[in-house]
């Protein structure tokens, strides 16, 4: 295909730049497209060595350029190609992939049994969805996008399927505060959760809402958690709840409800969930709340659902592998079934709602795969909702602020051992738009 033509073109340019170049090809000249055949002819005229692919030929080189399969690839690679790609990956030579790593589906990010593990992918004209969703992130390396000199006005003729969140753009959703504002102007977040042994989840969600800027935060939890939460963060108002009826006056106070953080799936959690579900207040539902929702199948327009892949699978009644095979379709499927906004968490979290272009967050890192991160995200989104940011905007803003803060923590302290509350001081700097601080990735405890 024409991806091979790109490979021959790179070979020609490298030769002209006085590099030592060899082409290992899979298709003979009779099977090439006309464009690729012309590119191959240029290589011949430059005297570039061209031989059929063999594993032994990989020795002694400093860079491998992958131009085997391009964006038209679907399904599984042929057996001979799988073996060859296995040899390439095992060579320990840095790999540059052209447009997309061979073996990766450009539309949904699904991957063949074998696929090129690139160190860098340079993709042309537009970013391919498949580079940003699913397991493809493990294969793409760093991504560079080049428009190949196409006129900017032509891009307006194509409707994108997805957009990448931009921190500075999303921060514009936060309106500067008036000098005379008071806590009531910035909303009240009610966190409902924290069954036996899980009070920490409710506390993390509450602090996320408070640090995102909510005027005040209330937690409804088991009585035994009240003292611990008050001692750790006295600014949070905590109420011990034994029965659903005790929630009613708290609902009247709330601007936004966070439902599910450590809620549990036993009778206490179920009864609070059912009462909260009857409320007309905007909600952020996470954790056990999503598992209970999967059994209730209620539709609302004013909630944000924040499932990880396992919770998404329960909501859609499908296997987790199907969620991960097409994350964009899964996030949109949740919206069709339950309404509102869906934040499908994971590497490159997706934010979707009906009638709007889905958004992808390419910030974040594996260090954030630890208990409590989802509780913090739910609280942050609720904190922005309480400040009158629209529901889709709050979900996007909360997702990108949370992920960017996680990247700052990783930059300063590493990924391993990161916990949710590590993000708080960095998150506040992200929200404050301290560009000097963010660019330097400096933080002194």
């Amino acid at each position: 295909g024409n991806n091979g033509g790109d490979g021959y073109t790179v070979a020609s340019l490298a030769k002209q730049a006085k590099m030592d170049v060899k082409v290992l090809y899979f298709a003979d000249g009779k099977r090439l497209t006309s464009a690729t055949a012309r590119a191959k002819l240029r290589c011949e005229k430059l005297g570039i060595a061209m031989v059929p692919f063999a594993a032994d030929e990989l020795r002694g080189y400093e860079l491998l350029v992958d131009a085997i399969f391009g964006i038209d690839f679907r399904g599984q690679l042929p057996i001979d190609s799988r073996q060859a790609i296995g040899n390439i990956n095992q060579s320990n030579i840095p790999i540059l992939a052209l447009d997309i790593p061979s073996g990766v589906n450009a539309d949904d990010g699904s991957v063949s049994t074998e696929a090129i593990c690139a160190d860098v992918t340079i993709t042309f004209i537009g970013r391919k969805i498949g580079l940003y969703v699913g397991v493809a992130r493990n294969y793409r390396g760093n991504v560079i996008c080049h428009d190949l000199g196409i006129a900017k006005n032509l891009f307006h003729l194509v409707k994108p399927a997805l957009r990448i969140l931009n921190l500075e753009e999303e921060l514009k959703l936060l309106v500067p505060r008036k000098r005379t504002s008071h806590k009531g102007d910035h909303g009240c977040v009610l966190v409902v959760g924290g069954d036996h042994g899980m009070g920490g989840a409710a506390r993390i969600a509450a602090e996320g809402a408070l640090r995102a800027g909510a005027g005040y935060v209330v937690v409804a939890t088991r009585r035994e958690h009240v003292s611990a939460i008050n001692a750790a963060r006295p600014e949070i108002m905590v109420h011990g709840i034994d029965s659903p009826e005790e929630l009613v006056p708290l609902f009247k106070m709330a601007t936004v409800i966070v439902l599910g953080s450590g809620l549990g799936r036993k009778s206490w959690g179920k009864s609070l969930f059912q009462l909260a579900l009857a409320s007309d207040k905007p909600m952020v539902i996470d954790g056990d709340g999503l598992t209970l929702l999967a059994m209730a199948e209620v539709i609302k327009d004013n909630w944000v659902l924040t499932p990880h892949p396992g919770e998404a699978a329960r909501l859609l009644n499908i296997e987790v592998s199907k969620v991960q095979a097409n994350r964009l379709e899964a996030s949109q499927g949740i919206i069709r079934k339950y309404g509102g906004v869906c934040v499908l968490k994971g590497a490159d979290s997706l934010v979707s709602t009906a009638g709007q272009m889905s958004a992808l967050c390419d910030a974040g890192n594996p260090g954030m795969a630890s208990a409590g991160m989802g509780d913090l995200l739910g609280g942050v989104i609720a904190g922005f909702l309480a400040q009158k940011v629209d529901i889709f905007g709050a979900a996007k803003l909360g997702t990108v602020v949370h992920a960017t803060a996680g990247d700052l923590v990783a930059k300063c302290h590493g990924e391993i051992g990161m916990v949710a509350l590590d993000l708080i001081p960095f998150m506040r700097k992200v929200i404050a738009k301290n560009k000097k601080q963010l660019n330097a990735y400096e933080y002194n405890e």
Side-chain angles (χ1 to χ4, degrees), residues 165-324:
L165 288 174
N166 179 282
L167 175 64
E168 290 192 9
E169 284 300 311
E170 302 309 324
L171 283 171
K172 292 176 183 177
L173 294 170
L174 284 177
V175 178
R177 296 185 173 189
K178 295 178 180 178
R179 302 304 298 173
T180 55
S181 65
H182 56 83
K183 65 182 180 183
D185 293 330
H186 311 306
C188 172
V189 174
L190 170 63
V191 177
V192 181
D195 201 351
H196 295 301
M198 295 185 286
R203 182 258 162 123
I204 291 170
E207 184 152 357
L210 199 62
R211 298 296 195 169
Y216 55 113
V217 178
V218 180
V219 172
T221 188
R222 287 284 192 179
R223 290 194 182 276
E224 56 262 44
H225 300 318
V226 172
S227 296
I229 296 174
N230 268 334
R233 180 53 61 202
E235 297 89 347
I236 297 170
M237 291 175 278
V238 194
H239 294 259
I241 298 294
D242 293 320
S243 64
E245 292 74 23
E246 294 174 273
L247 271 180
V248 175
L250 300 182
F251 284 156
K252 294 177 181 178
M253 298 171 58
T255 309
V256 182
I257 299 168
V258 178
L259 182 62
S261 297
L263 185 66
R265 307 173 197 177
K266 297 179 181 177
S267 58
W268 181 82
K270 285 181 179 179
S271 63
L272 300 187
F273 175 83
Q274 291 298 333
L275 186 63
L277 215 60
S279 169
D280 61 356
K281 298 289 178 72
M283 286 186 218
V284 179
I285 302 186
D286 185 38
D288 294 321
L290 294 169
T291 299
L292 295 172
L293 179 62
M295 295 182 275
E297 295 194 7
V298 179
I299 298 175
K300 288 194 176 191
D301 292 329
N302 65 340
W303 59 22
V304 180
L305 311 180
T306 61
H308 58 54
E311 291 160 346
R314 285 194 284 275
L315 289 168
L316 294 170
N317 195 27
I318 60 176
E319 297 296 321
V320 176
S321 59
K322 289 188 177 180
V323 171
Q324 293 296 74

Side-chain angles (χ1 to χ4, degrees), residues 385-433:
L385 266 174
Q387 295 171 80
K388 300 183 176 63
V389 178
D390 72 274
I391 191 165
F392 189 40
K396 291 185 292 181
L397 177 59
T399 300
V400 71
V401 165
H402 178 264
T404 303
D407 284 343
L408 292 174
V409 174
K411 186 71 175 180
C412 291
H413 304 297
E415 294 178 356
I416 295 175
M418 188 188 306
V419 298
L421 291 181
D422 289 343
L423 273 61
I424 293 291
F426 293 89
M427 191 179 78
R428 293 186 66 203
K429 293 182 184 298
V430 172
I431 295 170
K433 296 180 282 190

Side-chain angles (χ1 to χ4, degrees), residues 331-344:
S331 69
Q332 293 172 343
I334 289 170
I335 296 311
R336 289 192 292 271
K337 189 173 181 180
Y338 297 94
V341 176
C342 174
V343 179
L344 179 55

